[in-house]
Amino acid sequence: MCGIIGYIGEREAQPILLNGLKRLEYRGYDSSGMALILSPKNTLSIRKSPGKIKVLEALLQKRPMRGIIGIAHTRWATHGAPNQINAHPHFDCKSEIAVVHNGIIENYSQLKKELMKEGHKFVSETDTEVIIHLIEKFLKNGNLEEAVRKTVAKLEGSFAIGVISSREPDKLIGARLGSPLIVGLGKNENFLASDVPAI
Ligand code: GLU
């Protein structure tokens, strides 16, 4: 269990998310990552890396992302090695939706089997990846909130999640069960975080 930070507002999200991750560093982690909906084209972009947040920071300096909505994560691996592919955020088959997750999805292997049968392509070894493919599946007939609601109803275990989608670039969605996640309400901006120091 490590850290999540999410931002939606009017300011550049990348420095805010990076600063938030640094403030969550005390929780320990083995990798980190960030996803933004890029302005002005509303496409999803992801950077992630094993190791220290400094490594992610260097990556973001080299290939910065500009946008006003995003999610970021520090990972403490429970399912799958601490490598680049298993680092969060994870994304759907069309790279339109991204999720960060803290916790453990206990029924992930059954869900993964079902989703693979339905044609979803998995790239990581994490339990988390079932979350994003479930959201993708349920999104076919509805909006992102509805799809996240249907998804969390299928999950057993503990989770705090943050979700963004390039198709609905005005939404930052969070959900939790048994893992911490707080909402920070600001003026023309809002936050999600695992703990108060991050915001
Ligand atoms: N179970 C997830 C994973 O192994 C999340 C771990 C965490 O809470 O950081 O990727």
Side-chain angles (χ1 to χ4, degrees):
M1 197 231 289
C2 279
I4 287 177
I5 168 104
Y7 176 81
I8 184 163
E10 294 174 340
R11 293 188 280 157
E12 284 296 331
Q14 179 177 302
I16 294 170
L17 293 174
L18 193 60
N19 190 26
L21 282 186
K22 287 180 184 167
R23 290 177 189 215
L24 291 172
E25 245 178 330
Y26 74 92
R27 295 163 73 89
Y29 62 95
D30 53 46
S31 39
S32 59
M34 190 184 291
L36 251 68
I37 308 291
L38 300 184
S39 311
K41 285 193 174 164
N42 288 339
T43 50
L44 182 71
S45 187
I46 297 178
R47 308 270 186 270
K48 50 189 185 175
S49 161
K52 299 230 180 261
I53 291 171
K54 275 189 184 155
V55 182
L56 177 69
E57 189 170 15
L59 196 66
L60 290 167
Q61 259 161 16
K62 246 204 245 163
R63 297 176 58 216
M65 300 188 286
R66 301 206 61 182
I68 54 172
I69 167 166
I71 48 179
H73 185 260
T74 49
R75 176 177 189 234
W76 185 249
T78 65
H79 294 68
N83 58 29
Q84 209 251 348
I85 289 179
N86 291 333
H88 301 212
H90 290 282
F91 45 88
D92 67 312
C93 297
K94 292 192 210 124
S95 299
E96 289 176 346
I97 323 161
V99 70
V100 287
H101 163 231
N102 282 154
I104 294 177
I105 306 304
E106 273 154 20
N107 58 338
Y108 85 98
S109 101
Q110 183 56 36
L111 291 169
K112 186 167 176 175
K113 267 189 219 144
E114 289 167 17
L115 288 159
M116 282 172 76
K117 258 195 218 152
E118 290 168 21
H120 291 268
K121 299 264 180 300
F122 281 74
V123 295
S124 79
E125 303 158 323
T126 63
D127 51 336
T128 300
E129 205 180 342
V130 298
I131 302 176
I132 197 70
H133 292 289
L134 279 172
I135 296 173
E136 178 180 22
K137 167 181 162 161
F138 292 128
L139 200 54
K140 289 199 175 116
N141 335 296
N143 67 19
L144 192 60
E145 280 145 282
E146 204 45 47
V148 172
R149 265 186 232 282
K150 286 182 182 159
T151 296
V152 296
K154 294 266 181 203
L155 304 178
E156 286 165 20
S158 66
F159 56 83
I161 62 171
V163 185
I164 55 172
S165 164
S166 59
R167 284 186 175 250
E168 297 176 57
D170 55 346
K171 285 181 187 165
L172 168 65
I173 298 187
R176 66 174 284 269
L177 182 74
S179 298
L181 190 68
I182 59 164
V183 175
L185 299 177
K187 209 174 173 193
N188 300 327
E189 60 183 4
N190 297 311
F191 303 83
L192 282 179
S194 304
D195 200 359
V196 178
I199 57 171

